Amino acid sequence: MLKKYPVFIRGVKICFLFIFSLSVLFSYKNVHASSSSFNVTLVTSENQLKGNVGYFNLLMKPLAQQELSFVLNNTTSKSVTIDMSFFRATTNQNGIAVYDSESEEKDNSLKYNIEDYVNIPKKEITLAAHSQEIVKASVRMPQNASNGILAGGFSFKEKNVEKHSEASKGVSITNEYRYVIALVIQQNTKTVSPQLNLNEVKAGQVNARNVIEANLQNIAPTYLKNMNVTAKIRGVSQSNLKYTFQNSEMKMAPNSNFDLAVPVSIQGNMTNQTSKALQPGKYHLSMEVYGVKDAEGRYQTTVNGQTVKYEYKWNFERDFEITGEKASKLNRSDPTVHYKEPINWLMIIGIALILIIVLLIFLIFISKRKKDNHKQNDE
C-alpha cells in the first residue's frame, strides 16, 4: 500500500523484451529499446515447441534436465554489468501475467514452483564495451507434473543504473531497462482448462484510492487468456450506492491470484474534484467473466460493438460487508475524500441522558438539603 502523501516519487520506465509469443496466450515481437545498453537473444533448443518463437517452450520428460543458453550483447562503448534472475509467472493487480514476483506469496494451488527447478550459475555478468557473451541456465522437470504447464521468466537488468534527480522538485527518476525471456515447460501437449474461483471480497486501497477488491484465483496449471470481466456492486443497506468495473483483455498466469479492484474513489489526477466517502454497510457483488476467445466458442458477448465468442464463462454472486471502522480508516487515508467523521447520535443522546440524570440528582440533593436546613431552623 502506498503512503498517503509520498515525499519521494520513484518513476520507473521498464522496457520489457517479452520475447514471448505463446500461441494460446500472447503474440509478442522482439523489441529492443534504443536507449538500452544491451540486448538479449536465446539459443533455441531441439525440443522447442512451435518453432523459434522467441521464448523457451519446452517439451520435457519427467526428471529430465536441460541447459538453456542466452546471448548477451553490449551495444555501448563502456562496460555494462547485468543482473540475471528468474521468477515464476504471477498475475499483477491490473490482471496481467508478469515475471517479477520475488516478494509475492505463492498461490495455494501451486503444486510445483518452477523457481525451485531453475538454476542460474552466474547471476551477475559484466560485458566489456562492444562485446558479446553466452550465459547459461538449467531447468529440471518435476517427476509428477504431468498435466498443464509450469511458467516463469528470465529477467536481465542493468546494474547500477544512473539516477537523474531534480532537487528543486524533490523528484528522482531512474531509467531501468529490463529484458524478459519466458520459459514454459510441459510433459505433454494436452489441453488443460482454466479454473476460476472468486475468493474474498473486501474494501481496500490502490494507490491511496478507495476500491473494493475481489480476489480472483486461477487454480489450473495453464494461462487464462482474453479474460473479459464485468463486475457490478450495489449497496444492500443503501440501494443508491453502485460501482462498476469492466475490462475485456486481462490475462492470468497459471496457479495465481490477484485482487481485481473496483474503483470507489476518483482514479488518477484530479482537478478541483473530490470523491464520495466509502460508506459502511452491506453490499452485493455480481461478476461475469469470459475467457479464451474462440470462433467456435459456446459463449458470446459484445465487446466494443462486436460479437465475440469464448470457450469459458463464469458467474459469481457474493454478499459482503464493510464495517464503519474500516470505512472510516480508508476514508481518512484517501486524499481525494474530504471526509468528516459521521455524527454518532447514539453517543450524543447517551451523554445527554447521563448529564440530565446527574443534573436531576444534583437538584434533588440541593432541594433535600434546603428542606433539611429549613426544618432545623424551625426547630
Side-chain angles (χ1 to χ4, degrees):
M1 188 66 63
L2 296 178
K3 293 183 178 179
K4 180 178 176 182
Y5 296 109
V7 179
F8 207 75
I9 304 172
R10 179 183 176 85
V12 181
K13 299 178 180 178
I14 300 178
C15 178
F16 280 110
L17 177 61
F18 267 117
I19 323 178
F20 188 16
S21 180
L22 187 56
S23 65
V24 296
L25 184 64
F26 299 100
S27 179
Y28 283 108
K29 295 181 180 179
N30 289 0
V31 179
H32 298 275
S34 60
S35 300
S36 176
S37 300
F38 70 99
N39 56 55
V40 186
T41 56
L42 61 88
V43 179
T44 305
S45 304
E46 292 182 359
N47 56 331
Q48 175 85 13
L49 293 171
K50 308 183 191 309
N52 184 12
V53 292
Y55 71 99
F56 289 111
N57 186 9
L58 306 178
L59 185 64
M60 300 178 64
K61 294 180 179 180
L63 298 180
Q65 185 160 324
Q66 183 167 337
E67 187 176 73
L68 309 175
S69 299
F70 307 84
V71 180
L72 273 62
N73 182 39
N74 182 0
T75 60
T76 69
S77 57
K78 61 179 182 180
S79 65
V80 174
T81 300
I82 299 166
D83 283 333
M84 180 179 178
S85 55
F86 181 85
F87 303 105
R88 73 187 183 281
T90 60
T91 306
N92 69 10
Q93 66 181 23
N94 297 314
I96 299 173
V98 294
Y99 304 90
D100 55 357
S101 59
E102 184 175 17
S103 61
E104 294 286 336
E105 290 186 9
K106 298 177 181 65
D107 188 86
N108 58 24
S109 71
L110 184 66
K111 188 174 182 180
Y112 299 100
N113 181 8
I114 192 172
E115 293 172 339
D116 298 332
Y117 299 92
V118 170
N119 180 50
I120 303 174
K122 187 178 180 181
K123 296 186 177 181
E124 184 176 293
I125 307 101
T126 300
L127 298 177
H130 299 293
S131 69
Q132 188 178 87
E133 183 175 335
I134 296 178
V135 296
K136 305 285 187 178
S138 64
V139 58
R140 178 170 59 88
M141 172 62 78
Q143 182 173 4
N144 298 316
S146 56
N147 294 321
I149 64 173
L150 276 66
F154 292 94
S155 174
F156 300 85
K157 182 176 66 173
E158 184 175 352
K159 191 175 181 180
N160 301 323
V161 179
E162 186 177 334
K163 292 184 178 181
H164 305 280
S165 300
E166 296 182 35
S168 62
K169 296 182 180 180
V171 176
S172 176
I173 299 176
T174 301
N175 292 325
E176 181 182 278
Y177 300 96
R178 178 184 298 175
Y179 289 81
V180 174
I181 295 181
L183 169 66
V184 176
I185 61 175
Q186 57 199 98
Q187 293 187 13
N188 57 63
T189 57
K190 295 178 181 178
T191 300
V192 173
S193 298
Q195 300 179 55
L196 190 65
N197 290 339
L198 173 64
N199 296 321
E200 185 180 13
V201 181
K202 62 181 181 178
Q205 286 190 336
V206 174
N207 297 329
R209 301 292 193 271
N210 289 342
V211 299
I212 293 173
E213 298 174 332
N215 183 265
L216 290 173
Q217 180 185 29
N218 174 23
I219 65 172
T222 188
Y223 284 92
L224 172 51
K225 63 171 184 173
N226 309 131
M227 283 178 66
N228 182 344
V229 181
T230 300
K232 297 179 180 179
I233 295 173
R234 60 177 177 83
V236 176
S237 305
Q238 302 180 58
S239 58
N240 62 310
L241 297 176
K242 295 179 181 178
Y243 307 107
T244 61
F245 172 89
Q246 205 282 325
N247 189 326
S248 61
E249 279 299 329
M250 305 175 83
K251 305 175 183 72
M252 289 191 70
N255 301 107
S256 68
N257 73 86
F258 78 105
D259 290 327
L260 183 142
V262 179
V264 174
S265 295
I266 298 172
Q267 305 297 302
N269 297 325
M270 300 176 58
T271 305
N272 300 323
Q273 292 179 296
T274 57
S275 300
K276 293 182 179 179
L278 176 65
Q279 298 298 313
K282 295 181 178 180
Y283 292 81
H284 182 80
L285 165 68
S286 296
M287 184 183 296
E288 187 176 68
V289 183
Y290 295 88
V292 187
K293 291 179 182 178
D294 188 337
E296 303 299 324
R298 294 184 296 163
Y299 308 99
Q300 69 177 41
T301 188
T302 302
V303 179
N304 297 325
Q306 302 292 323
T307 299
V308 181
K309 291 187 176 183
Y310 296 86
E311 287 188 28
Y312 305 98
K313 181 183 178 182
W314 296 269
N315 287 100
F316 300 110
E317 302 287 338
R318 181 68 55 85
D319 291 320
F320 63 99
E321 185 173 0
I322 301 173
T323 65
E325 180 182 1
K326 183 69 171 180
S328 296
K329 180 180 179 180
L330 293 175
N331 287 328
R332 284 194 296 269
S333 60
D334 185 335
T336 71
V337 177
H338 291 176
Y339 179 65
K340 294 181 180 179
E341 289 285 353
I343 298 174
N344 192 331
W345 291 108
L346 287 177
M347 182 180 291
I348 292 174
I349 292 171
I351 293 173
L353 287 174
I354 292 172
L355 291 175
I356 291 172
I357 291 171
V358 171
L359 180 61
L360 287 174
I361 293 173
F362 177 75
L363 291 174
I364 292 171
F365 174 77
I366 294 297
S367 176
K368 186 176 184 301
R369 188 172 181 180
K370 285 183 178 180
K371 286 181 179 180
D372 291 342
N373 289 337
H374 181 69
K375 185 182 292 186
Q376 290 177 359
N377 290 335
D378 287 346
E379 292 177 352

